């Protein structure tokens, strides 16, 4: 029937797995219907409702990924704005200290709270 089929069947039998040769032989006697059944059992072809469910699930996960990506991008933008704001505040504090020192004032540190070690 098929010259390579015998080699495949022999290799499957040597591997110690299920007897694929017998399975193919049993379904091959039914012709194209047997081939379709084998393809269904192996998962090579699937019913339309299964494929519809898989594509809907794929689209749902893709939309969720895109939503999360946009949300994370907004979070990154907010964090970079906060970082820039903190850097500006630090630089303003340093400029204020330099200005006060130039005017002859010495920076004073706040006294430690009571009970602090």
């Amino acid at each position: 029937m098929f010259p390579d089929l015998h080699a495949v069947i022999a290799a499957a039998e040597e591997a110690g797995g299920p007897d694929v040769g017998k399975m193919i032989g049993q379904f091959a006697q039914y012709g194209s219907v047997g081939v379709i059944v084998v393809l269904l059992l192996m998962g090579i072809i699937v019913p339309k409702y299964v494929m519809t469910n898989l594509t809907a699930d794929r689209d749902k996960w893709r939309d969720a990924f895109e939503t999360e990506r946009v949300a994370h991008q907004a979070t990154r933008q907010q964090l970079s704005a906060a970082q820039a704001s903190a850097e500006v505040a630090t630089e303003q504090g340093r400029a204020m200290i330099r200005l006060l020192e130039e005017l002859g004032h010495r920076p004073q540190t706040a006294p430690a709270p009571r009970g602090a070690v």
Side-chain angles (χ1 to χ4, degrees):
M1 189 151 96
F2 299 105
D4 293 333
L5 183 62
H6 296 293
V8 170
I9 292 171
E13 288 176 356
E14 289 175 10
D19 192 0
V20 177
K22 287 183 182 177
M23 186 173 75
I24 290 175
Q26 288 173 351
F27 286 107
Q29 67 184 347
Y30 297 110
S32 61
V33 174
V35 171
I36 290 174
V37 169
V38 168
L39 293 176
L40 278 169
L41 290 174
M42 295 175 74
I44 295 173
I45 58 174
V46 293
K48 182 176 179 172
Y49 72 91
V50 172
M51 194 64 180
T52 304
N53 289 342
L54 287 173
T55 54
D57 193 42
R58 179 201 62 198
D59 293 340
K60 181 182 76 168
W61 281 106
R62 182 176 290 148
D63 291 341
F65 170 75
E66 290 297 325
T67 303
E68 282 295 315
R69 191 170 62 95
V70 169
H72 284 294
Q73 182 62 30
T75 302
R76 283 191 290 274
Q77 289 173 348
Q78 290 174 351
L79 287 174
S80 66
Q83 176 86 22
S85 174
E87 290 171 359
V88 168
T90 302
E91 187 57 36
Q92 285 176 345
R94 289 181 185 147
M96 184 62 69
I97 289 173
R98 281 194 306 270
L99 179 63
L100 288 172
E101 287 174 347
E102 287 175 9
L103 292 175
H105 297 282
R106 294 202 243 127
Q108 296 178 357
T109 58
R114 291 185 200 180
V117 179

